[in-house]
Amino acid sequence: MRLGFVGTGTMGAPMAGCLIDAGHELTVFDIRPAVTAPLAARGARTAGSPAEVARQSEVVFTSLPGPSEVEHAVLGSSTGILAGLTAGALVVMSI
């Protein structure tokens, strides 16, 4: 399955790693590109925005610290998840 993960910090990185371990195709984004590097080294693709993650995924997971980060990552007019989400795709949010 093509999965995406937005927010790969302290909590998100281990969850995203489990998705890689389970054999899923994973695309990741974080506002701090350095924290996506270990996941990329394990086979994840990195994206330039949450919208790009959504365009490449059937299901997008988030692990973000609070409401303002969720608002920006999900609702950003051109870069948010909803801007890139395709028909039939799902968003699973964790805050």
Side-chain angles (χ1 to χ4, degrees), residues 44-75:
R45 284 184 288 194
T46 57
S49 70
E52 186 180 337
V53 170
R55 280 191 291 276
Q56 298 179 30
S57 306
E58 297 168 86
V59 179
V60 179
F61 296 91
T62 69
S63 180
L64 300 163
S68 64
E69 292 84 1
V70 170
E71 181 178 354
H72 180 72
V74 176
L75 302 176

Side-chain angles (χ1 to χ4, degrees), residues 2-66:
R2 292 179 302 115
L3 303 178
F5 214 101
V6 175
T8 57
T10 303
M11 290 179 58
M15 290 188 279
C18 288
L19 298 174
I20 293 170
D21 292 344
H24 296 287
E25 185 179 318
L26 186 66
T27 302
V28 296
F29 172 80
D30 195 281
I31 60 170
R32 299 162 298 152
V35 302
T36 62
L39 295 167
R42 294 179 57 196
R45 284 184 288 194
T46 57
S49 70
E52 186 180 337
V53 170
R55 280 191 291 276
Q56 298 179 30
S57 306
E58 297 168 86
V59 179
V60 179
F61 296 91
T62 69
S63 180
L64 300 163

